[in-house]
Amino acid sequence: MPRQSISFSKPNDEWLKAQVDSEEYSSKSELVNDLIRQARQQQSKVDWLRAKLNKAEKSGFTNDSKEDILKQSKSLLNGEL
């Protein structure tokens, strides 16, 4: 696994230490990797939503109700469709 050297501000370093001390994570590296994974997942959802919005803007109007659109969107975000 590639090694990196990074610096944290004092408040961020203290927060990282507190998470490790609470045994939520075994190391700062594990915590930082988890935070990056979460950010990547969130970015994927944002990218998906942005693409859907762009496509929708280009496709025009729909006869679906607001409730149907919301239900479908939530299902897609949750990976159900």
Side-chain angles (χ1 to χ4, degrees), residues 14-73:
E14 289 172 357
W15 183 83
L16 289 167
K17 285 179 186 176
Q19 299 306 304
V20 173
D21 290 345
S22 72
E23 298 182 1
E24 185 72 24
Y25 295 91
S26 62
S27 67
K28 288 182 188 179
S29 292
E30 181 185 355
L31 173 54
V32 171
N33 274 307
D34 189 43
L35 292 171
I36 292 170
R37 266 191 300 278
Q38 290 176 37
R40 290 175 62 195
Q41 289 173 347
Q42 184 178 13
Q43 186 61 52
S44 292
K45 290 179 180 180
V46 168
D47 292 344
W48 175 85
L49 185 56
R50 183 173 288 124
K52 287 291 186 179
L53 288 171
N54 287 334
K55 182 179 176 184
E57 287 177 349
K58 293 176 184 175
S59 70
F61 294 96
T62 181
N63 292 325
D64 294 345
S65 70
K66 292 186 288 187
E67 292 79 16
D68 289 340
I69 294 169
L70 182 59
K71 183 178 178 181
Q72 182 184 19
S73 295

Side-chain angles (χ1 to χ4, degrees), residues 71 74-81:
K71 183 178 178 181
K74 285 182 179 180
S75 293
L76 289 169
L77 281 173
N78 292 326
E80 296 173 9
L81 293 178

